[in-house]
Amino acid sequence: MALTFFRGVQTRPLLSYPSIYFALRKHNVSYCNMQNTQLETTERQEGQLKGSTREIHSKPHDKLLKDFEAVIGIETHVQLSTQTKAFCSCPYNYGAAPNTSICPVCMGLPGALPVLNSKVIEAAVKVGLALNCSLSLDSKFDRKQYFYPDLPKGYQISQFDVPIASSGSLDVDLPVEYGGGHRRFGITRVHMEEDAGKLLHTGSGNYSQVDLNRAGVPLLEIVSEPDMRTGIEAAEYAAEIQRLVRYLDVSNGNMQEGSLRCDVNISVRPTGQQEFGTKVEIKNLNSFSSVSRAIDYEISRQVDLHTQGLADQIVQETRLWEEGSQKTITMRKKEGLADYRYFPEPDLPGVTLSEEYINSIGSSLPELPETKRRRYENMGLSMQDVLFLANDITVAKFFDATIAGGADVKLAANWIMGDIAAYMKNAKVSISDIKLSSEELCELIASIKGGTISGKMGKEILFELMAKGGTVKGLIKDKDLVQIVDPVEIEKIVDKVLADNPKQLEQYRGGKTKLQGFFAGQVMKESKGKANPKLLNQILLQKLNATS
Amino acid sequence: MLSSPRLLRHHLPPLQCCFTTAPTQPPSSQILTIKKALLSGETTSVDLTSAFLRRLRRTEPHLKSFLYTPSDQTILQQAQELDNRIQNNEPLGPLAGVVVAVKDNICTCDMPSTAGSRLLENYRPPFDATAVRKLKEKGAIIVGKTNMDEFGMGSTTEGSAFQVTANPWDLSRVPGGSSGGSAAAVSARQCVVSLGSDTGGSVRQPASFCGVVGLKPTYGRVSRYGLVAYASSLDVIGCFGSSVADTGILFHAISGHDKFDATSSKRDVPDPTSQFIANDYLVSKPLKGLRVGVIRETLQDGVDPAVVSSVNSATSHLEDLGCVISEVSLPSFALGLPAYYILASSESSSNLSRYDGVRYGKQLFADELNSLYRNFRANGFGSEVKRRILMGTYALSAGYYDAYYKRAQQVRTIVQKSFRDALDRNDILISPAAPSVAYEIGEKKDDPLAMYAGDIMTVNVNLAGLPALVLPCGFANGGSSGLPVGCQMIGGAFDEEKLLKIGHIFEQTLEGYNFVPPLVADEVGC
């Protein structure tokens, strides 16, 4: 999709800048295209309020897994949603026309110099604190050097030996349908760096093009300890990182747009063995479910090789996850360790943090997913409910506001997870898009609990509130929905119905008591649905059974 | 040793020919003289600029200082606009009407900026360097881009991909480098002042070879934004002038904090103009009590005796002015040279990675990416640049980093400390600017080690990030009328003001020398 879109713009964006496309007869670099491979759409992923990991099915053969243990670590790149890039004042908008958001600095023109955007530090400190890391009061930037056409300076500004944050942890609650359980995974480090541009390969042409819009966009790289053992654990870890950055409002965490990218390192060893097996890296994981499925596939592949005595065929390499065939394939074998010739970035001064700065950021952090989940748990909600409500920050905020308004916790949870979630899924909107406010949900719940309207009426106006807005009180009035709770009034209706149906009454009294339902329906109809069902039944029975 | 010093009582104002009467106040600044003459209506910017252009066009075929000059018409149009402003009594900038040349590694959006490299032939940046923007804002007229060793790597201009600049004192000799074009242009009065850049001595050594004043400011004093990077932690834009005052005024105009350079200092830069008082007003011992440390290691074996003798005379002159002279030792001095070449090469290997054939230079076709890079870089870079990229790549490689890069950084720390200690005990330090006078063209071309050794006097100052002023102090035999020798004064960080004050008094009171080269001596005031 993206490819078609970009085709035919080879000379367009260059203005007075030097030529930015380059010629290659064959590209040996086509893996960059994989970002464009069609996978699950964003909307679908967003629309399913449930974390996508909840829908993962595949499982490697369990019997073999007993004998082997997988060791999994994840490197996550989080694209920060700062207004401007890391080292210049260009904005970044995903999907903008190629090379429309570039300047001498992010193009790496001779003489241009980087100046750090302080919002990058702020985001790094937030994430570092949220991941329980120790922060380095004195860190620095380094240059990571390699040649690639999407890297205009020939080096990436990154952090090497002194990352801004290190030695942290992340708490994760596994999905109930996978047995549940709480896990704590170690975080090795968090560091700041800049993104590279993108290569656009012409379908049939003999050249490739470079789009530098993304060059210089700030990233945080979060490296986990090799603490995960299954695809589900890894996918949940990644989902928790996404939740965390969304709670902190430092990134949109969108995997489809590449705002959250996961590279997985995985090895397999016989259970009980201390040393790690040979590590394989998997790239091109564009959803949590592909993280889980790719890992399960890779575990099976490696375990199979082990059991066949072919463990030596597991080599250190980078493999690509192919969504189509649901397999990992070799992308490139590592020829020894790449030498990036890191050295301190001389164009940028060191990054110094004061205790005051860190404390001020620390005290302004929002409630984090883990804390929220524990709070919900203590409120008496089931783990299923807890995970659902805390999964999406906007849903959690809505829920929190609703109960802050005095609504019953369980009722509020049920409404949100039931009818509201169903509506959002159907209409493909998020909770911030619907017209219903938390105040009105509160009012609705109170109106039902107080008996002003029936649950059925409540449902009816809920949809109207979500689609069109308005107030509960207003709708009850407009639709004349106030429940009839006056026994005298109900009695009148019952009398009328009994009088109108003498034949059925005779049958009932002759022993055909099933007809009670018929009468209840008629009374409800006569009351235009407003009769309080409990009172209705009470009075109806009285009248039916009255032998007069 | 000294070759026939011309017995002239004072510096002949180089612009004398342009004026009906020789200006007397202030005595030694072309910039201040120009401003006065323009404001008084004594001359016009068009006349003044035309005089420079005539001299430039006459001397340029011999010198080849410039890689690019706009048409006379383009330049004179700016002068005309300035004259109109004067007519309308509009305010004038501090560099109004001053003809300036700019080293070709400093970006100008209206002129090519090649850094002396084939790879950037015809490259026009879409922006002005901060220093250039300031020049323009302050009314300077830029006459062109000067020749240099490719990316600043070299000491002769022979490393330019395009041409070799000749030394105005002897056309068979080099002007020094890498800012050789800028030094030669000021020396031959093709312009009033010029910008250069100094990573390991690239302003100071050519200033010495060409007999002009050169200032290497403190690292961070002048924005590097728009300076094509060679070694980012050492690079600084510097100034050339035919007097200390002109050099200081130019320095003040381009320095100060710049939000586009994260390494630029936020300190205020005091205006040095009030320091440039006329000779007549000087008291008898104007530098009384000033402590001057002569760096012992710079006047030992391997240094040209004529250079030693000139610097010793300069020391005596300072003593006459009231300075207290002592000898200081910088034991780490000799370590600076190898440390410099490791650090500068390492940084340059990284800074030059961007010239990969994707964006600059001739588009090449290749079957695969690595051969695109290989062909482009092999054909595009000159041999000295390739040598330094290779050295730097090696020094940063896994397994060698600790032995080279890290070690060199440790040496740098030691060098910084030894300068700090010496400057705690002295106001300034002095040394030669170079161990010899200008070389013959071709003399060092095939001997890179000998060429590197020529940087011994200057590289330590870059490692320490300190300011240094080079000013002509004598002559050695050579050419038709001697070859100039420069004396280097090194000051504490951000203390350019002190250097300029001392340099100005030194220059005003140095009798018996005229540093106008024979090429233009007839025209400029003799």
Side-chain angles (χ1 to χ4, degrees):
Chain A
M1 181 178 67
L3 265 183
T4 348
F5 175 62
F6 289 136
R7 198 170 290 153
V9 284
Q10 40 189 318
T11 52
R12 195 191 144 220
L14 303 170
L15 311 166
S16 60
Y17 295 129
S19 168
I20 203 163
Y21 70 90
F22 67 105
L24 282 180
R25 288 229 173 82
K26 279 183 284 181
H27 3 90
N28 61 345
V29 288
S30 53
Y31 77 85
C32 279
N33 264 339
M34 300 309 293
Q35 277 155 331
N36 300 324
T37 318
Q38 199 61 48
L39 294 171
E40 266 189 314
T41 67
T42 310
E43 297 84 62
R44 233 197 290 166
Q45 207 190 356
E46 298 286 325
Q48 295 165 339
L49 267 166
K50 293 180 156 209
S52 11
T53 54
R54 318 261 189 275
E55 343 229 317
I56 294 159
H57 312 297
S58 70
K59 283 248 107 185
H61 13 295
D62 292 340
K63 60 179 172 50
L64 287 174
L65 280 183
K66 280 190 199 119
D67 303 330
F68 290 91
E69 177 185 53
V71 176
I72 302 157
I74 300 186
E75 284 172 25
T76 313
H77 286 90
V78 177
Q79 193 179 77
L80 298 177
S81 49
T82 48
Q83 294 208 322
T84 55
K85 294 184 182 182
F87 302 112
C88 63
S89 53
C90 291
Y92 174 66
N93 295 307
Y94 178 79
N99 295 316
T100 52
S101 196
I102 54 174
C103 74
V105 176
C106 54
M107 291 175 79
L109 293 190
L113 294 171
V115 177
L116 179 63
N117 177 352
S118 61
K119 291 285 175 192
V120 177
I121 304 261
E122 192 182 312
V125 171
K126 280 183 182 172
V127 171
L129 289 173
L131 289 171
N132 310 304
C133 291
S134 5
L135 293 170
S136 309
L137 296 183
D138 285 294
S139 67
K140 64 184 170 82
F141 284 99
D142 299 279
R143 291 185 182 178
K144 177 181 181 177
Q145 311 193 65
Y146 62 94
F147 286 101
Y148 205 69
D150 65 7
L151 189 68
K153 298 189 295 294
Y155 56 83
Q156 177 194 31
I157 302 177
S158 181
Q159 293 194 292
F160 179 49
D161 50 345
V162 193
I164 189 158
S166 54
S167 310
S169 64
L170 182 66
D171 288 298
V172 168
D173 286 296
L174 296 181
V176 179
E177 55 273 41
Y178 288 94
H182 183 264
R183 298 275 189 283
R184 175 167 293 174
F185 300 124
I187 300 292
T188 312
R189 58 184 281 163
V190 179
H191 74 249
M192 305 174 278
E193 61 184 27
E194 58 175 342
D195 211 340
K198 276 182 189 168
L199 286 192
L200 311 168
H201 302 293
T202 48
S204 55
N206 57 357
Y207 58 90
S208 299
Q209 295 165 278
V210 186
D211 174 10
L212 291 179
N213 280 348
R214 206 180 61 180
V217 170
L219 301 176
L220 291 183
E221 182 175 324
I222 303 170
V223 182
S224 83
E225 289 289 306
D227 287 350
M228 287 146 267
R229 295 291 172 264
T230 64
I232 288 297
E233 285 186 356
E236 252 330 296
Y237 165 87
E240 184 70 7
I241 294 278
Q242 183 188 60
R243 271 190 286 278
L244 195 76
V245 298
R246 286 180 174 172
Y247 269 57
L248 295 171
D249 197 23
V250 296
S251 169
N252 67 26
N254 191 325
M255 288 186 93
Q256 293 313 120
E257 292 178 7
S259 309
L260 186 83
R261 281 168 254 163
C262 294
D263 298 336
V264 167
N265 282 299
I266 172 168
S267 63
V268 155
R269 64 185 172 191
T271 310
Q273 181 182 305
Q274 281 302 301
E275 320 75 87
F276 294 139
T278 305
K279 180 176 76 176
V280 165
E281 186 180 9
I282 310 175
K283 283 184 183 287
N284 192 40
L285 301 169
N286 294 20
S287 68
F288 299 128
S289 96
S290 57
V291 169
S292 172
R293 280 178 285 125
I295 288 173
D296 289 344
Y297 172 85
E298 187 60 23
I299 294 175
S300 297
R301 189 185 73 87
Q302 293 188 21
V303 166
D304 281 349
L305 288 169
H306 270 285
T307 51
Q308 289 162 31
L310 300 172
D312 58 340
Q313 285 188 14
I314 303 169
V315 293
Q316 201 177 332
E317 61 176 340
T318 302
R319 296 177 72 86
L320 277 187
W321 171 245
E322 278 198 338
E323 200 68 37
S325 61
Q326 296 282 298
K327 282 180 175 165
T328 64
I329 54 154
T330 297
M331 181 178 113
R332 57 167 182 248
K333 308 243 184 213
K334 289 242 162 91
E335 297 153 352
L337 218 59
D339 184 357
Y340 291 116
R341 288 174 286 116
Y342 281 102
F343 78 105
E345 165 58 283
D347 286 331
L348 291 168
V351 178
T352 323
L353 304 177
S354 68
E355 296 282 2
E356 289 91 333
Y357 177 76
I358 295 173
N359 292 340
S360 77
I361 301 241
S363 59
S364 70
L365 286 186
E367 184 181 39
L368 297 172
E370 170 68 7
T371 326
K372 208 178 269 292
R373 288 193 298 263
R374 297 288 81 83
R375 180 162 65 81
Y376 288 174
E377 209 179 8
N378 290 335
M379 282 160 51
L381 291 169
S382 74
M383 187 46 71
Q384 187 93 33
D385 294 2
V386 167
L387 292 178
F388 182 96
L389 291 168
N391 179 52
D392 182 324
I393 176 76
T394 56
V395 173
K397 275 183 180 163
F398 191 91
F399 173 69
D400 284 341
T402 310
I403 57 173
D408 178 85
V409 169
K410 188 65 198 166
L411 289 176
N414 285 346
W415 279 106
I416 293 172
M417 293 170 58
D419 292 306
I420 296 177
Y423 174 82
M424 291 191 297
K425 191 171 178 180
N426 251 330
K428 290 182 175 156
V429 293
S430 80
I431 203 154
S432 39
D433 298 328
I434 63 174
K435 302 259 167 50
L436 171 73
S437 68
S438 59
E439 289 83 3
E440 290 310 312
L441 179 59
C442 229
E443 181 68 36
L444 186 71
I445 292 170
S447 300
I448 296 167
K449 208 175 180 185
T452 316
I453 52 169
S454 66
K456 191 165 170 276
M457 289 176 194
K459 260 188 193 204
E460 221 175 291
I461 61 168
L462 177 74
F463 284 97
E464 190 138 354
L465 287 167
M466 289 192 289
K468 296 181 189 154
T471 63
V472 174
K473 280 188 176 136
L475 281 173
I476 289 174
K477 201 174 160 219
D478 292 353
K479 293 182 177 271
D480 190 19
L481 290 177
V482 181
Q483 211 170 30
I484 304 169
V485 287
D486 182 355
V488 180
E489 207 167 322
I490 295 177
E491 210 176 324
K492 275 186 201 158
I493 304 169
V494 173
D495 287 343
K496 183 174 183 289
V497 168
L498 295 186
D500 288 352
N501 298 284
K503 208 171 149 193
Q504 283 85 349
L505 183 62
E506 201 177 313
Q507 286 175 344
Y508 179 89
R509 289 191 173 148
K512 210 171 176 188
T513 52
K514 273 196 290 182
L515 281 169
Q516 189 203 332
F518 163 77
F519 283 108
Q522 291 302 308
V523 175
M524 194 53 97
K525 197 175 167 192
E526 189 65 32
S527 77
K528 292 181 188 127
K530 294 191 288 179
N532 179 305
K534 206 174 156 197
L535 271 177
L536 183 151
N537 276 317
Q538 210 181 319
I539 294 167
L540 179 65
L541 266 181
Q542 248 173 35
K543 296 263 174 190
L544 283 172
N545 298 337
T547 45
S548 55
Chain B
M1 246 337 140
L2 292 181
S3 81
S4 59
R6 262 113 312 143
L7 294 169
L8 295 168
R9 285 290 301 166
H10 56 278
H11 291 258
L12 289 169
L15 285 172
Q16 208 170 24
C17 57
C18 300
F19 304 107
T20 47
T21 55
T24 52
Q25 282 293 332
S28 58
S29 165
Q30 287 189 74
I31 294 177
L32 296 177
T33 311
I34 286 168
K35 189 160 189 189
K36 203 174 160 211
L38 289 178
L39 285 174
S40 69
E42 199 177 328
T43 186
T44 65
S45 180
V46 167
D47 285 350
L48 203 61
T49 309
S50 301
F52 273 100
L53 283 175
R54 273 196 304 278
R55 188 155 53 235
L56 191 155
R57 302 295 177 208
R58 178 176 74 76
T59 52
E60 186 57 13
H62 307 289
L63 292 177
K64 299 199 182 107
S65 343
F66 286 87
L67 287 173
Y68 176 85
T69 53
S71 69
D72 286 6
Q73 193 195 347
T74 309
I75 296 168
L76 290 172
Q77 196 183 330
Q78 295 174 53
Q80 184 59 58
E81 280 163 20
L82 177 62
D83 285 334
N84 295 343
R85 289 174 68 90
I86 296 169
Q87 285 281 308
N88 298 332
N89 284 321
E90 289 173 45
L92 298 188
L95 296 179
V98 175
V99 175
V100 184
V102 175
K103 189 177 179 180
D104 205 33
N105 59 350
I106 302 173
C107 289
T108 44
C109 63
D110 47 358
M111 299 181 202
S113 304
T114 70
S117 179
R118 188 69 67 193
L119 289 183
L120 289 176
E121 195 168 3
N122 301 321
Y123 170 69
R124 270 175 202 254
F127 63 99
D128 276 332
T130 299
V132 170
R133 176 175 58 75
K134 289 189 173 189
L135 289 183
K136 289 181 176 174
E137 284 168 4
K138 291 172 184 178
I141 295 173
I142 299 176
V143 282
K145 303 299 291 289
T146 58
N147 192 30
M148 58 182 287
D149 293 289
E150 185 176 7
F151 292 112
M153 300 177 186
S155 316
T156 62
T157 73
E158 291 164 300
S160 165
F162 306 105
Q163 64 198 31
V164 179
T165 300
N167 190 316
W169 290 87
D170 177 349
L171 297 178
S172 71
R173 289 179 188 265
V174 299
S178 65
S179 315
S182 287
V186 168
S187 173
R189 274 58 176 178
Q190 294 177 315
C191 56
V192 179
V193 286
S194 64
L195 294 185
S197 69
D198 192 316
T199 306
S202 284
V203 163
R204 289 161 289 157
Q205 182 254 27
S208 177
F209 282 14
C210 293
V212 296
V213 178
L215 175 68
K216 176 230 172 278
T218 311
Y219 181 80
R221 195 54 133 165
V222 180
S223 169
R224 290 186 293 119
Y225 191 76
L227 171 65
V228 178
Y230 161 18
S232 313
S233 76
L234 302 160
D235 290 342
V236 60
I237 291 180
C239 307
F240 291 100
S242 57
S243 67
V244 173
D246 285 348
T247 310
I249 293 167
L250 177 64
F251 159 72
H252 184 250
I254 61 165
S255 52
H257 178 66
D258 179 15
K259 64 176 181 174
F260 295 113
D261 176 0
T263 62
S264 88
S265 165
K266 292 202 166 93
R267 285 178 189 237
D268 283 339
V269 190
D271 185 347
T273 317
S274 60
Q275 307 283 347
F276 305 136
I277 47 175
N279 208 357
D280 314 356
Y281 297 93
L282 292 179
V283 292
S284 69
K285 298 269 183 196
L287 297 178
K288 192 161 189 226
L290 193 93
R291 296 160 305 163
V292 173
V294 182
I295 306 173
R296 182 192 300 151
E297 288 80 5
T298 63
L299 294 167
Q300 291 174 344
D301 291 348
V303 182
D304 191 331
V307 169
V308 174
S309 141
S310 291
V311 172
N312 283 338
S313 307
T315 310
S316 309
H317 181 53
L318 284 169
E319 199 163 16
D320 290 345
L321 293 169
C323 295
V324 181
I325 311 290
S326 64
E327 195 178 69
V328 298
S329 173
L330 298 176
S332 60
F333 195 80
L335 295 174
L337 195 65
Y340 166 81
Y341 271 96
I342 286 167
L343 295 176
S345 299
S346 296
E347 291 185 22
S348 69
S349 73
S350 173
N351 284 328
L352 271 53
S353 296
R354 71 192 64 197
Y355 309 108
D356 58 3
V358 176
R359 280 150 300 142
Y360 315 101
K362 223 180 242 162
Q363 286 275 309
L364 293 177
F365 272 88
D367 286 336
E368 51 93 32
L369 204 48
N370 279 329
S371 57
L372 173 85
Y373 293 144
R374 203 177 301 121
N375 294 344
F376 183 82
R377 289 168 71 83
N379 293 321
F381 288 127
S383 59
E384 184 56 36
V385 174
K386 279 189 253 186
R387 181 159 31 241
R388 294 195 196 188
I389 290 174
L390 287 172
M391 287 196 292
T393 304
Y394 184 84
L396 289 175
S397 296
Y400 297 98
Y401 181 88
D402 286 354
Y404 293 102
Y405 183 85
K406 201 171 165 192
R407 198 106 179 268
Q409 284 289 25
Q410 288 161 348
V411 170
R412 184 174 190 171
T413 310
I414 294 170
V415 167
Q416 283 164 345
K417 187 178 181 306
S418 71
F419 269 108
R420 213 166 32 239
D421 292 346
L423 283 163
D424 277 347
R425 284 175 275 116
N426 293 281
D427 291 291
I428 60 164
L429 305 177
I430 69 167
S431 79
S436 72
V437 290
Y439 325 128
E440 292 282 349
I441 291 171
E443 190 182 330
K444 308 253 170 168
K445 205 168 179 245
D446 301 317
D447 190 353
L449 279 182
M451 195 171 77
Y452 298 168
D455 298 336
I456 180 82
M457 300 297 174
T458 46
V459 292
N460 280 287
V461 178
N462 296 82
L463 290 176
L466 299 174
L469 181 71
V470 163
L471 63 176
C473 66
F475 284 93
N477 285 324
S480 61
S481 50
L483 295 171
V485 174
C487 170
Q488 174 173 237
M489 299 179 177
I490 303 162
F494 301 102
D495 208 358
E496 287 87 358
E497 201 184 8
K498 188 192 280 173
L499 285 178
L500 291 167
K501 179 186 172 185
I502 298 166
H504 174 75
I505 292 170
F506 178 95
E507 170 194 83
Q508 293 303 294
T509 52
L510 185 70
E511 295 184 350
Y513 297 102
N514 175 21
F515 293 103
V516 177
L519 185 70
V520 290
D522 293 346
E523 196 176 334
V524 186
C526 280

